[in-house]
């Protein structure tokens, strides 16, 4: 049996997390190790490993995650902008193999990111 990821355990309420939003397709939680004043993760309930593993049938879900992220930003009044990041694979430092979108905001950022 494949063991559950941290995010699947949070979705299944087997691990605690600060859940800021939930609907039938995703949750938004506070990142446990924030890199900015606002750092949340938009996580689909469907356990897609990473963007690379998404399929055509996931197109609507992927769009939904982005819309949930921008709706969160609007609700939080992030008027100065925000950054959306998806880490895919080893070089990108993906650490949890369950697709998630980082939404980062609340301070001026740098570019390029690497
Ligand atoms: P990534 O490196 O893109 O896979 O991002 C994983 C993110 O999950 C990191 O920013 C971690 O700080 C965050 N994280 C890991 N465990 C937890 C947890 N239990 N609750 C909230 N965020 C977590």
């Amino acid at each position: 049996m494949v063991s559950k990821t941290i995010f699947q355990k949070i979705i299944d309420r087997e691990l605690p997390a600060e859940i800021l939003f939930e609907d039938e397709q995703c949750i938004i939680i506070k990142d446990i190790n924030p890199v900015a004043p606002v750092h949340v993760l938009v996580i689909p309930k469907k356990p897609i490993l990473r963007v690379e593993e998404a399929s055509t049938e996931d197109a609507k879900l992927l769009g939904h995650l982005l819309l949930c992220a921008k709706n969160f930003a609007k609700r939080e009044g992030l008027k100065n902008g925000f950054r959306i990041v998806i880490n895919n694979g080893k070089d990108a430092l993906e650490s949890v193999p369950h697709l998630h979108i980082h939404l980062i905001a609340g301070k001026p950022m740098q570019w390029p990111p690497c």
Side-chain angles (χ1 to χ4, degrees):
M1 199 181 96
V2 182
S3 64
K4 286 186 181 184
T5 64
I6 290 168
F7 294 162
Q8 193 61 54
K9 288 180 182 168
I10 289 171
I11 290 164
D12 294 342
R13 303 301 199 272
E14 293 168 9
L15 272 182
E18 208 166 327
I19 299 177
L20 305 172
F21 172 83
E22 178 168 22
D23 67 11
E24 65 287 347
Q25 296 181 78
C26 70
I27 58 171
I28 300 181
I29 65 169
K30 274 198 179 174
D31 195 292
I32 204 168
N33 190 18
V35 298
V38 179
H39 185 177
V40 301
L41 304 171
V42 185
I43 308 171
K45 291 184 176 176
K46 180 176 178 182
I48 300 167
L49 290 177
R50 57 190 61 81
V51 168
E52 207 176 351
E53 311 289 341
S55 64
T56 310
E57 73 177 27
D58 298 318
K60 264 192 159 171
L61 173 59
L62 297 177
H64 181 73
L65 300 176
L66 279 178
L67 291 174
C68 284
K70 74 99 181 172
N71 289 338
F72 177 86
K74 188 169 187 190
R75 278 198 305 278
E76 294 295 310
L78 303 177
K79 293 192 184 349
N80 287 337
F82 55 88
R83 179 169 289 167
I84 278 174
V85 173
I86 301 176
N87 296 320
N88 184 105
K90 188 160 65 85
D91 280 358
L93 295 183
E94 172 202 305
S95 62
V96 181
H98 182 135
L99 177 65
H100 50 284
I101 295 175
H102 296 256
L103 187 153
I104 300 161
K107 70 171 192 182
M109 294 173 230
Q110 308 295 318
W111 194 264
C114 52

